[in-house]
Amino acid sequence: MRTNTQIFVRSGLIAAAAALPLTVAAPSAVADNGITVTSTGSTVSVNTAACPGGGNASLLSSGLTTFTQGRQAALAVGATNQTAAWSNVSPGAYTVIVNCNDGRNVGSQPVTVTTTPTLPTTNSPALGVRGGIGGGIKDYGTLTMVGGGVLVAAALGGGAWYLRRRNMHHRT
């Protein structure tokens, strides 16, 4: 009886662990008030149809409670929806609040950012670093390659001769 209980408990834990990435990876959420908040990389976006005359949105980090404390962005008025976005947002839990220009508070929506901010790219050097290649960059002539091969062969032969002579002294 005990082993059956352990199997069911372990199966439940495995199923919960398998479902966890699905719940964490869901980057968008739609509130009952018509606000859609998405988190893609380090960019947070809000989309709503509740402010046809425009408005503002505010991104509040944890611990902040009022609209004016957050990073504010104007809602861009489109044909049907109004959108705002914040880029280079650090990982963490945030709340997005939307206020219309007519004074209405549309509501708020939580969002979690899980990736690091994108950093500006820099130009890399034209040739890059030549570390670790050794002599592979320069084209050496035949005489140099033959000379190197002779030196390697002499070192191998000398090492074999030394080991052979050392073993001969122990045999007597």
Side-chain angles (χ1 to χ4, degrees):
M1 184 71 159
R2 180 180 161 109
T3 27
N4 289 342
T5 305
Q6 287 178 347
I7 290 172
F8 288 127
V9 169
R10 287 181 184 163
S11 299
L13 290 174
I14 291 171
L20 182 63
L22 298 175
T23 60
V24 173
S28 68
V30 179
D32 292 339
N33 50 19
I35 299 173
T36 304
V37 179
T38 57
S39 171
T40 307
S42 65
T43 302
V44 176
S45 303
V46 62
N47 187 356
T48 184
C51 297
N56 292 315
S58 181
L59 180 69
L60 295 113
S61 59
S62 62
L64 302 179
T65 56
T66 63
F67 185 86
T68 56
Q69 292 175 330
R71 289 173 53 185
Q72 296 181 17
L75 291 172
V77 179
T80 57
N81 291 332
Q82 300 79 47
T83 60
W86 299 269
S87 59
N88 292 329
V89 178
S90 300
Y94 295 89
T95 302
V96 175
I97 299 175
V98 177
N99 289 338
C100 296
N101 283 340
D102 60 6
R104 287 183 299 120
N105 180 343
V106 177
S108 63
Q109 180 69 36
V111 64
T112 302
V113 179
T114 57
T115 60
T116 57
T118 56
L119 300 175
T121 58
T122 58
N123 293 335
S124 59
L127 295 177
V129 177
R130 293 185 180 181
I133 296 176
I137 295 293
K138 189 173 180 183
D139 186 22
Y140 292 104
T142 306
L143 182 61
T144 306
M145 298 301 274
V146 169
V150 167
L151 288 174
V152 169
L156 288 173
W161 177 77
Y162 174 76
L163 291 175
R164 175 94 172 134
R165 296 269 305 169
R166 189 176 76 174
N167 285 339
M168 287 178 137
H169 289 295
H170 292 293
R171 289 185 185 173
T172 57

